[in-house]
């Protein structure tokens, strides 16, 4: 089974689909990525500004359709990255077995940036990255609670969506570096 990263936000219209498309570019062929929303209505198109941002990153998100979060998505994911602490709580309530591999995106990025890369190449780079982040989690002081939440750009301007995408990319880069070091 391929390593899977699942991105979760509220409606699967903005943050999680932008993260999915940015991760697809940043993580290349190393992992499979997908997204879902805790309160999503299945089958909607991505928000127009999110579509614009994803297209500018080189993706073709025209076929993207929203999907509601299901327990099996969480169980099948190697890593679950949520937009907010509330969504992280929903994910772990739906699939308690995912607790140790579920983080907010910003939390994971901060921990990954502080993690020690694996000393030797690992057979499973994503799992090695998750283990490195878990070790960093035990060494670092917790951040302020709101530091872990990714602001929802819905109702904002195109510039707000770009800022959100920049924050997503900033949070994904340390993951890509850890996977590269472990691979």
């Amino acid at each position: 089974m391929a390593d899977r990263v699942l991105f979760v936000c509220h409606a699967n219209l903005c943050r999680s689909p932008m993260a999915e498309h940015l991760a697809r570019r940043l993580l290349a062929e190393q992992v499979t990525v997908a997204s879902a929303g805790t309160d999503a209505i299945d089958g909607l198109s991505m928000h127009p500004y999110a579509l614009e941002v994803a297209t500018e990153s080189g993706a073709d998100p025209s076929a993207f359709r929203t999907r509601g979060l299901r327990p099996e998505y969480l169980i099948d994911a190697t890593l679950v990255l949520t937009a907010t602490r509330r969504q992280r709580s929903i994910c772990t309530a739906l699939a308690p077995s995912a607790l140790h591999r579920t983080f907010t995106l910003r939390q994971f990025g901060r921990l990954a940036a502080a993690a020690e890369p694996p000393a030797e190449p690992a057979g499973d780079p994503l799992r090695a990255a998750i283990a490195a982040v878990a070790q960093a989690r035990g060494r670092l002081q917790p951040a302020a609670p709101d530091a872990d939440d990714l602001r929802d750009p819905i109702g904002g301007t195109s510039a707000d969506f770009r800022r959100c995408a920049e924050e997503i990319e900033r949070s994904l880069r340390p993951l890509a570096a850890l996977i590269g070091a472990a691979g």
Side-chain angles (χ1 to χ4, degrees), residues 22 27 29 34 42 59 63 71 86 96 100 113 130 147 151 166 179 183:
L22 290 166
L27 304 177
E29 302 300 318
D42 288 339
R86 178 185 172 279
H100 296 293
I130 295 167
R151 183 179 295 227
E166 289 166 3
I179 289 174

Side-chain angles (χ1 to χ4, degrees), residues 25-27 109 112 168-179:
R25 179 177 51 83
L26 286 171
L27 304 177
I168 291 167
E169 190 164 339
R170 245 188 323 275
S171 297
L172 287 173
R173 285 194 183 284
L175 171 60
L178 276 179
I179 289 174

Side-chain angles (χ1 to χ4, degrees), residues 37-55:
T38 57
D39 295 276
I41 298 169
D42 288 339
L44 300 177
S45 297
M46 193 184 304
H47 186 285
Y49 290 151
L51 185 71
E52 183 179 297
V53 168
T55 302

Side-chain angles (χ1 to χ4, degrees), residues 16-149:
S16 59
M18 287 192 299
E20 176 183 342
H21 286 87
L22 290 166
R24 203 168 273 135
R25 179 177 51 83
L26 286 171
L27 304 177
E29 302 300 318
Q30 299 164 330
V31 298
T32 300
V33 295
S35 65
T38 57
D39 295 276
I41 298 169
D42 288 339
L44 300 177
S45 297
M46 193 184 304
H47 186 285
Y49 290 151
L51 185 71
E52 183 179 297
V53 168
T55 302
E56 288 169 0
S57 76
D60 178 10
S62 59
F64 177 86
R65 294 295 175 261
T66 57
R67 65 185 191 149
L69 183 63
R70 302 172 108 177
E72 57 267 26
Y73 300 161
L74 299 163
I75 292 165
D76 290 344
T78 310
L79 175 63
V80 179
L81 297 174
T82 68
T84 67
R85 291 168 289 135
R86 178 185 172 279
Q87 288 138 10
R88 182 181 63 203
S89 293
I90 291 169
C91 289
T92 58
L94 280 174
S97 65
L99 174 68
H100 296 293
R101 52 193 166 79
T102 302
F103 302 80
T104 71
L105 176 60
R106 291 183 72 192
Q107 172 193 32
F108 193 87
R110 186 177 59 255
L111 294 171
E116 296 291 326
E120 298 178 17
D124 190 333
L126 180 58
R127 287 185 194 341
I130 295 167
V133 164
Q135 287 179 346
R137 180 189 250 171
R139 291 191 323 264
L140 299 177
Q141 290 293 324
D146 63 345
D148 286 341
D149 289 346

